[in-house]
């Protein structure tokens, strides 16, 4: 057992202690230890809904600030009352199995909508604000949204789709002060029609869906992961909350609430810990630390390219003037791990988890190799599976899969897509779709998505490997790698890059630098320099538009350069 193992066990013990104390204060049973062969789990008599949890916390510390949206701050009691009133309005407007979509920027009203659905026993569907046209129509139709809470400036995005959505009966403008556009209702008007409030929430059908979380859908239509009232993973989130947070923490996020990171990892974990959440509208590299300082945040999280972008901002004397003690990261580049901690004076905790991961979580608490996502929670049974269906062993990439067996409440279900559900969960195993390697000490390192790879000259090439190498270059802010059709069959690698602020990228020089780090067959033939790369609201690159544009006139082609050099050499000879 190494230092990371001991630290993780101590963190789990802290989480279990917090959970047991919470159950004791609430008067619930302290728990029953269920034993199976080689495994143990803590099972509690009750499973509170997210709405019931908010009401509980409001009774416990009503005057404590729960959510902070800059000039607007709302206590636990205020958020409980607001959502209780909306819950009654939704209950009166919708059938018992009604479905509510929420499409808007981060706001108190967004959270009102979420907690109101959970109090009324309805299904909540967070919707990406960047969706348009057929993509938006697909999510609204696939989920079966009956009522949509939407920002007024997004109403015109929805209006042309209504003829295709016979189930969508109500559109409510989410802002309290805005005048409602035609064919919609204003928020205040809708809520004031309600007769009374729902306080703690109804007792819903445990089999009813409480939440549909759509994947990013960077290629093809997104899939919705189903969370049910009786199997919402609330127990796991309560444990993680007490493992990672305390009631004194201030959790900052600039990520959108329609994404699981902001809604579940930040907001719901803070709710379970009795902490405070501070929201920003969006990620801005130039304003990020100013917002963090002003918020008084003690913790924040990072995903995707955020760390790389922050590190490429000019250092200032204010870099360490904040209250943040730790940052929870996903996909921090290994070469930036130590420099980031040193520059900003924070502890970096690298983690891995996924909405469709079936509850698996890993932690590198700073004692494992930089760049590693750490190890799964003790007791997790997992494999890295190769193409032959067996574990790949040490040092080779394989798909991370973990065994659920009897833990049915953690299995992954995709809404109205039984084929994808069966493919995801087979024989008690959940297949994550993420490729990892494992070292001799059991530490895992993310290699890339199984679907985000290219076949080049008989070899599988990871886009993540190419992008990581490119992003390490000081001249590159961020990049996207993907395959394009090759004259020789299979694919050639194309790399699209965005220069760092105030800089330029020389494609020939960049390729020469990459040749020192990645195999020859993985080197990009095509390099295109652009001002920006399309992204989701959660800062994940959307490659489909770039792939559709393909090899543009401004794309640099190594094939032409090498052919020219070969011709020049033959002439000289």
């Amino acid at each position: 057992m190494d230092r990371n193992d001991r630290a993780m066990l101590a963190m789990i013990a802290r989480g279990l202690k917090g959970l047991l104390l919470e159950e004791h204060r609430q008067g619930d049973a302290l728990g029953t230890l269920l034993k199976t062969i080689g495994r143990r789990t803590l099972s509690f008599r009750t499973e509170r809904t997210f709405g019931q949890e908010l009401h509980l916390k409001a009774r416990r510390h009503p005057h404590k600030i729960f959510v902070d949206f800059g000039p607007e701050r709302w206590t636990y009691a205020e958020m409980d009352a607001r959502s209780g009133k909306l819950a009654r309005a939704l209950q009166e407007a919708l059938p018992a199995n009604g479905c509510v979509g929420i499409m808007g920027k981060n706001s108190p009203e967004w959270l009102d909508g979420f907690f109101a659905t959970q109090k009324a026993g309805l299904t909540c569907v967070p919707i990406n604000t960047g969706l348009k046209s057929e993509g938006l129509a697909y999510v609204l139709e696939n989920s079966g949204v009956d009522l949509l809470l939407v920002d007024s400036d997004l109403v015109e995005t929805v209006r042309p789709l209504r003829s295709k959505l016979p189930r969508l009966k109500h559109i409510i403008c989410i802002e309290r002060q805005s005048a409602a556009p035609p064919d919609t209702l204003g928020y205040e008007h809708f809520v004031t029609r309600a007769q009374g409030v729902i306080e703690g929430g109804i007792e819903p059908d445990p089999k009813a869906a409480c939440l549909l979380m759509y994947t990013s859908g960077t290629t093809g239509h997104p899939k919705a992961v189903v969370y049910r009232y009786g199997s919402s993973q609330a127990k796991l989130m309560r444990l993680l909350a007490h493992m990672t947070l305390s009631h004194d923490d201030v959790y900052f996020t600039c990520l959108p609430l329609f994404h699981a990171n902001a809604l579940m990892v930040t907001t719901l974990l803070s709710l379970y810990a009795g902490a405070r959440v501070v929201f920003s509208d969006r990620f801005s590299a130039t304003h990020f630390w100013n917002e963090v300082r002003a918020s008084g945040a003690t913790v924040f999280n990072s995903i995707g390219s955020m760390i790389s972008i922050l590190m490429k901002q000019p250092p200032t004397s204010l870099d360490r003037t904040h209250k943040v003690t730790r940052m929870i990261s996903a996909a921090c580049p290994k070469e930036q791990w130590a420099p980031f901690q040193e520059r900003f004076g924070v502890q970096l905790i690298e983690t891995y988890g996924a909405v469709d991961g079936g509850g698996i979580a890993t932690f590198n608490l700073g004692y494992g190799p930089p760049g590693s996502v750490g190890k799964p929670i003790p007791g997790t049974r997992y494999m890295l599976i190769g193409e032959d269906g067996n574990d790949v062993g040490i040092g080779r990439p394989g798909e991370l899969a973990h065994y659920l067996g009897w833990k049915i409440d953690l299995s992954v279900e995709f809404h109205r897509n039984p084929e994808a559900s069966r493919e995801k969960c087979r024989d008690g195993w959940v297949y994550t779709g993420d490729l990892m390697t494992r070292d001799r000490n059991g530490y895992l390192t993310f290699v890339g998505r199984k679907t985000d790879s290219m076949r080049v000259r008989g070899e599988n090439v990871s886009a993540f490997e190419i992008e990581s190498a490119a992003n390490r270059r000081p001249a590159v802010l961020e990049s996207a790698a993907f395959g394009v059709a090759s004259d020789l069959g299979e694919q050639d690698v194309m790399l699209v890059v965005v220069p760092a602020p105030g800089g330029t990228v020389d494609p020939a020089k960049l390729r020469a630098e990459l040749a020192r780090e990645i195999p020859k067959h993985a080197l990009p033939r095509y390099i295109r320099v652009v001002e920006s790369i399309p992204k989701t609201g959660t800062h994940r690159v959307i490659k489909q538009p770039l792939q559709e544009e393909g090899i543009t006139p401004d794309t640099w082609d190594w094939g032409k350069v090498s052919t020219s050099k070969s011709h020049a050499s033959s002439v000289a000879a």
Side-chain angles (χ1 to χ4, degrees):
M1 181 180 294
D2 64 12
R3 193 175 180 184
N4 194 82
D5 294 328
R6 292 193 294 272
M8 193 187 305
L9 288 173
M11 188 169 70
I12 292 171
R14 183 170 66 248
L16 288 172
K17 178 180 178 181
L19 250 179
L20 290 170
L21 289 174
E22 177 188 331
E23 292 293 318
H24 182 64
R25 284 197 300 267
Q26 188 59 19
D28 292 339
L30 283 181
T32 303
L33 205 59
L34 301 178
K35 299 181 180 180
T36 60
I37 299 174
R39 294 185 299 276
R40 293 184 177 186
T41 186
L42 197 62
S43 175
F44 293 96
R45 180 169 53 85
T46 60
E47 174 76 290
R48 292 186 290 273
T49 69
F50 300 130
Q52 290 168 345
E53 188 70 27
L54 174 61
H55 187 61
L56 169 67
K57 290 298 192 293
R59 287 188 299 157
R60 187 168 293 168
H61 32 73
H63 304 299
K64 184 174 183 179
I65 299 297
F66 175 33
V67 294
D68 184 332
F69 289 88
E72 293 187 285
R73 293 180 174 182
W74 302 92
T75 65
Y76 276 89
E78 289 169 333
M79 284 300 298
D80 185 48
R82 289 163 56 108
S83 59
K85 186 71 173 177
L86 178 57
R88 178 64 71 191
L90 293 174
Q91 187 185 57
E92 293 174 357
L94 298 176
N97 61 343
C99 185
V100 177
I102 310 179
M103 185 178 180
K105 61 182 177 296
N106 289 354
S107 67
E109 291 76 25
W110 201 108
L111 286 177
D112 286 346
F114 171 73
F115 285 112
T117 60
Q118 306 304 289
K119 289 185 175 186
L122 303 170
T123 303
C124 179
V125 185
I127 299 175
N128 189 326
T129 56
L131 289 176
K132 298 178 182 178
S133 189
E134 294 303 315
L136 176 58
Y138 173 82
V139 169
L140 292 171
E141 188 281 327
N142 179 261
S143 60
V145 166
D146 299 291
L147 182 147
L148 181 65
L149 298 169
V150 60
D151 282 354
S152 58
D153 60 351
L154 295 174
V155 169
E156 291 307 316
T157 305
V158 180
R159 195 188 304 279
L161 308 176
R162 291 203 72 172
S163 62
K164 304 177 183 179
L165 303 166
R167 185 164 171 174
L168 179 58
K169 304 298 185 185
H170 310 277
I171 297 181
I172 314 298
C173 282
I174 204 169
E175 298 101 333
R176 289 174 178 261
Q177 306 303 324
S178 296
D183 302 323
T184 69
L185 281 177
Y187 187 97
E188 292 286 1
H189 178 63
F190 177 70
V191 171
T192 53
R193 299 189 311 180
Q195 302 298 310
V197 300
I198 297 178
E199 293 186 345
I202 68 169
E203 288 297 332
D205 179 354
K207 296 181 180 179
C210 65
L211 184 63
L212 300 180
M213 291 296 297
Y214 278 84
T215 58
S216 296
T218 54
T219 58
H221 285 310
K223 297 189 291 289
V225 178
V226 182
Y227 293 84
R228 299 191 181 279
Y229 279 102
S231 55
S232 63
Q233 298 191 17
K235 294 186 183 77
L236 176 63
M237 285 191 281
R238 287 163 67 190
L239 175 62
L240 290 174
H242 290 289
M243 285 170 57
T244 58
L245 299 173
S246 75
H247 68 278
D248 295 323
D249 273 317
V250 178
Y251 208 149
F252 176 85
T253 184
C254 56
L255 299 171
L257 277 165
F258 63 72
H259 187 258
N261 194 292
L263 177 60
M264 303 175 83
V265 176
T266 304
T267 305
L268 292 182
L269 261 60
S270 295
L271 171 68
Y272 285 120
R276 177 175 139 207
V277 188
V278 180
F279 293 92
S280 175
D281 288 338
R282 61 187 178 87
F283 172 63
S284 167
T286 55
H287 297 110
F288 179 82
W289 283 108
N290 289 334
E291 290 183 302
V292 168
R293 279 187 282 271
S295 71
T298 59
V299 60
F300 69 86
N301 52 30
S302 164
I303 62 174
S305 59
M306 288 174 60
I307 289 179
S308 296
I309 293 173
L310 289 172
M311 285 296 289
K312 290 182 180 180
Q313 298 302 304
T316 76
S317 59
L318 299 176
D319 280 346
R320 282 175 166 253
T321 57
H322 54 74
K323 296 181 179 179
V324 176
T325 59
R326 62 207 184 279
M327 180 191 72
I328 300 174
S329 164
C332 174
K334 62 180 180 180
E335 68 281 352
Q336 292 180 351
W337 185 307
F340 189 90
Q341 292 188 125
E342 175 61 27
R343 175 175 170 180
F344 296 109
V346 301
Q347 177 193 3
L348 193 152
I349 299 173
E350 184 76 3
T351 64
Y352 167 83
V355 171
D356 59 354
I360 190 170
T362 72
F363 294 89
N364 182 347
L365 301 177
Y367 306 115
S372 166
V373 298
K375 301 179 182 181
I377 290 176
T380 303
R381 181 182 171 189
Y382 77 95
M383 292 197 300
L384 300 184
I385 299 177
E387 294 182 0
D388 61 359
N390 297 315
D391 190 277
V392 294
I394 304 299
R396 296 181 59 197
E399 181 182 6
L400 176 65
H402 65 108
Y403 187 70
L404 290 177
W406 52 272
K407 293 179 279 190
I408 304 300
D409 63 331
L410 291 179
S411 63
V412 180
E413 175 191 355
F414 292 115
H415 181 61
R416 296 174 62 180
N417 197 336
E419 182 179 345
S421 300
R422 287 191 295 268
E423 180 66 22
K424 189 74 176 180
C425 301
R426 307 192 300 273
D427 301 322
W429 289 81
V430 173
Y431 292 76
T432 65
D434 290 320
L435 298 175
M436 303 266 188
T437 59
R438 178 178 54 228
D439 70 12
R440 295 185 181 281
N441 296 314
Y443 287 97
L444 301 176
T445 298
F446 180 79
V447 174
R449 291 290 294 171
K450 187 177 180 180
T451 55
D452 194 14
S453 62
M454 296 151 273
R455 190 71 176 176
V456 181
R457 293 168 181 78
E459 299 283 350
N460 288 323
V461 175
S462 165
F464 181 80
E465 178 186 13
I466 301 169
E467 292 160 357
S468 297
N471 293 344
R472 287 194 284 271
R473 313 272 71 79
V476 176
L477 180 65
E478 53 190 344
S479 63
F482 49 88
V484 294
S486 171
D487 298 335
L488 304 175
E490 295 189 336
Q491 292 177 302
D492 285 321
V493 178
M494 183 166 179
L495 180 67
V496 177
V497 298
V498 177
T504 59
V505 173
D506 179 342
K509 182 179 178 182
L510 173 59
R511 190 181 190 279
E513 292 175 347
L514 293 177
R516 296 196 289 266
E517 296 190 26
I518 60 178
K520 184 177 180 180
H521 67 267
L523 289 172
R525 170 177 174 175
Y526 302 103
I527 298 178
R528 182 184 173 199
V529 182
V530 298
E531 292 183 358
S532 63
I533 290 176
K535 293 181 179 179
T536 68
T538 54
H539 307 286
R540 293 185 179 182
V541 170
I542 306 175
K543 296 184 180 181
Q544 187 172 356
L546 300 173
Q547 291 171 314
E548 291 174 353
E549 291 174 2
I551 304 165
T552 57
D554 61 342
T555 299
W556 179 85
D557 182 358
W558 166 252
K560 292 182 179 179
V561 174
S562 59
T563 300
S564 176
K565 287 182 177 180
S566 298
H567 177 70
S569 298
S570 63
V571 170

